[in-house]
Amino acid sequence: MSRNKTQPIIEVLPYAKRWAALSLLCMAQFIVIMDTSIIGVALPAIKTDLGYSQTGLQWIFNAYVIVFGGFLLLGGRLSDLFGSRKVFMWGFAILTSASLLAGLAWSEAVLNTGRALQGLGAAFIAPAALTLVLTKFTDPKELNKALGFWGAAAAAGGSAGVFFGGAITQWLSWEWVFLINIPLGLIVLALSPGLLLKGATRKGKVDVLGAILATAALILMVYAIVSAEGAGWLSVQTLGLLALAVALFIVFLIVQKNKKEPLVPLSIFKVPNLSGGNLVMGLLAGAWIPLWFFLNLYLQQVLNYSAFHSGLALLPMTFAIMILMGGVVGKVVARFGFKASLIAGFISLTASLVLFSTVPVDGTFMVNVLPASLLGALGMSLAYIPGTIASMSGAKPEETGLASGLVNTSYQIGSALGLAIIVAIVSAQTDMAQGGTVEVGLLNDGFRTAFKSAAVVSGLGALIAVFSIKTFK
């Protein structure tokens, strides 16, 4: 009886500040996801100033998402061991410092290093922040509402980053797409001690080896794909790097199987829908990120939009995703189920990419950009939240943290590999890897090929969703 009487006392402080804390955590989620997309419109300016090749530009994106995805599970583990608030603040300290390095970058290598360190900070922030959200809300109705705001913050960060990146690049300089994180990070660090509880801690070991093996395997695989056009797909370098990546992944699996406290207990993959859900989330990212990446380049390098006008052209997509994820998708899932919504999302995204694959050199915003971008926003919104639900639908309560980490990891890995493969395909068609000037017609053909390739990825996601995702009654 005494335990029941004291329980409400323990929950008073979290409930008293739960909505203010949620606002701070949504701001953190917004920043982490914004950092993925804010660099998109700035890519041409960065290319000019730092001498990137056309294919090398993807490393400004991949350096972030590879480290982000590779260390997400480690971030979740550290959060369990040392407390969510502490790891959350560690992450923002790293992200803020790395943003300063990226903003002051004087070479390609320095910028890529800054972006990688930003990814490390984000990998600590994301799982700790989600844990803090889940522990602040114990009432199911309030929790669902809180998670709706959380999802909308992620969607808004990804889409709004494109607009903010355009405005910042146009009116300030590309350096400020990184430097903007410094005041935002300092605000989060200042408010965290007063709004966030320390969180529970427990004894245990950190599987640093597992995190290093997984990340090294991913980096080698992406680098092999990116450099294959120059070295040759059947060259010793390409095949050797791919073989080494596979070997490291096998070692990772062996380590996970034999460790008492592994980073990823392999038994988790017996959970219904987890494997299929993670696969479709990886394919969703592998289709969506190339759409965003190449649409930015099409607007600026083919249609000759300025950085600001390029971001402005994608603003309707931003608002559409915020509205759909903020209130519409939840009702659709409640009415039709997560599987039907997921499949409909992939079909809409595939249709959007097919439309983009027909863009002409003399395209217009109203005819060639707006309809397809809105359809893509619908597809992404319908697929993202149901895909996350599907991935976690069969997990036990004690497995939800790990399942959530795996979903985020799959999405980031799908982003990196999908973009690397499609850039390699486009490079083979346009010789972008040579770094020279490419005739605009040929460049546009390459972008059309990118959209077609992403449509294939999205279509594959729809098929896998049909046959591998199960519904529960």
Side-chain angles (χ1 to χ4, degrees):
M1 295 293 295
S2 59
R3 181 181 299 177
N4 291 334
K5 290 180 179 179
T6 59
Q7 186 67 22
I9 297 176
I10 295 174
E11 294 180 350
V12 168
L13 182 58
Y15 274 115
K17 296 184 177 182
R18 65 193 183 279
W19 295 110
L22 178 65
S23 298
L24 181 65
L25 294 168
C26 285
M27 177 181 176
Q29 175 77 336
F30 181 93
I31 293 170
V32 167
I33 303 302
M34 180 183 71
D35 281 344
T36 306
S37 62
I38 196 170
I39 53 94
V41 180
L43 290 176
I46 296 173
K47 178 176 182 288
T48 299
D49 283 0
L50 297 184
Y52 276 84
S53 67
Q54 189 79 1
T55 52
L57 282 174
Q58 67 178 302
W59 281 102
I60 303 175
F61 173 82
N62 279 340
Y64 181 84
V65 298
I66 289 174
V67 177
F68 185 10
F71 284 98
L72 263 169
L73 295 176
L74 178 63
R77 176 68 172 159
L78 292 175
S79 179
D80 288 338
L81 294 178
F82 298 107
S84 301
R85 188 183 75 179
K86 181 178 289 187
V87 174
F88 177 81
M89 294 181 69
W90 286 353
F92 261 101
I94 295 171
L95 179 67
T96 304
S97 302
S99 298
L100 178 61
L101 177 63
L104 299 177
W106 55 90
S107 70
E108 183 176 341
V110 173
L111 180 53
N112 289 347
T113 300
R115 287 290 286 169
L117 291 173
Q118 280 187 318
L120 179 62
F124 286 0
I125 294 167
L130 182 56
T131 299
L132 288 165
V133 171
L134 294 173
T135 56
K136 294 288 182 293
F137 297 88
T138 55
D139 179 79
K141 291 183 178 179
E142 285 197 341
L143 179 58
N144 287 338
K145 187 176 182 180
L147 290 175
F149 285 123
W150 176 261
S159 300
V162 176
F163 174 73
F164 292 150
I168 290 170
T169 303
Q170 181 76 22
W171 303 113
L172 294 172
S173 67
W174 64 261
E175 288 89 348
W176 280 96
V177 302
F178 306 113
L179 296 176
I180 192 176
N181 282 332
I182 296 175
L184 294 176
L186 291 175
I187 291 172
V188 172
L189 288 169
L191 294 177
S192 293
L195 292 178
L196 306 177
L197 296 178
K198 291 182 178 179
T201 61
R202 65 185 179 88
K203 294 182 179 179
K205 296 181 179 180
V206 178
D207 184 12
V208 177
L209 177 60
I212 292 174
L213 286 171
T215 305
L218 179 61
I219 291 173
L220 287 174
M221 185 175 296
V222 174
Y223 182 76
I225 294 170
V226 170
S227 59
E229 175 60 23
W233 284 96
L234 298 179
S235 67
V236 173
Q237 173 183 310
T238 301
L239 295 178
L241 288 173
L242 289 174
L244 182 57
V246 171
L248 287 174
F249 183 69
I250 292 173
V251 173
F252 168 76
L253 294 177
I254 294 172
V255 169
Q256 300 308 289
K257 183 177 180 180
N258 293 288
K259 262 189 173 289
K260 291 183 179 180
E261 296 184 72
L263 190 67
V264 184
L266 299 184
S267 60
I268 189 71
F269 292 102
K270 297 179 182 179
V271 172
N273 279 345
L274 187 137
S275 296
N278 276 269
L279 182 55
V280 297
M281 287 299 286
L283 292 169
L284 176 63
W288 174 256
I289 295 302
L291 183 157
W292 158 82
F293 184 88
F294 284 100
L295 182 54
N296 275 297
L297 294 179
Y298 170 74
L299 289 171
Q300 293 189 60
Q301 297 184 350
V302 176
L303 299 187
N304 293 316
Y305 279 30
S306 67
F308 174 74
H309 286 97
S310 178
L312 195 63
L314 298 180
L315 200 56
M317 184 192 298
T318 300
F319 288 140
I321 292 177
M322 291 174 63
I323 293 170
L324 290 167
M325 283 200 183
V328 177
V329 174
K331 296 178 181 178
V332 173
V333 173
R335 174 68 177 84
F336 298 102
F338 60 78
K339 180 173 180 176
S341 302
L342 176 62
I343 294 169
F346 269 111
I347 291 173
S348 297
L349 181 57
T350 304
S352 168
L353 286 160
V354 169
L355 287 177
F356 276 127
S357 71
T358 64
V359 289
V361 172
D362 57 349
T364 64
F365 171 75
M366 292 301 297
V367 174
N368 304 109
V369 176
L370 181 61
S373 64
L374 291 178
L375 189 58
L378 174 65
M380 178 60 173
S381 301
L382 284 175
Y384 184 83
I385 293 178
T388 303
I389 295 172
S391 302
M392 301 177 65
S393 59
K396 299 176 183 178
E398 63 272 20
E399 296 172 329
T400 54
L402 177 59
S404 175
L406 284 170
V407 172
N408 283 303
T409 301
S410 296
Y411 188 86
Q412 298 302 327
I413 290 173
S415 299
L417 289 179
L419 183 60
I421 292 170
I422 293 177
V423 166
I425 293 171
V426 175
S427 177
Q429 178 177 341
T430 63
D431 291 327
M432 288 195 306
Q434 304 305 316
T437 301
V438 181
E439 191 270 328
V440 67
L442 182 59
L443 193 61
N444 189 66
D445 288 343
F447 294 159
R448 289 167 60 147
T449 298
F451 294 130
K452 290 176 185 176
S453 301
V456 172
V457 174
S458 182
L460 181 60
L463 288 175
I464 291 176
V466 169
F467 294 106
S468 69
I469 301 299
K470 299 179 181 179
T471 55
F472 300 102
K473 296 183 178 179

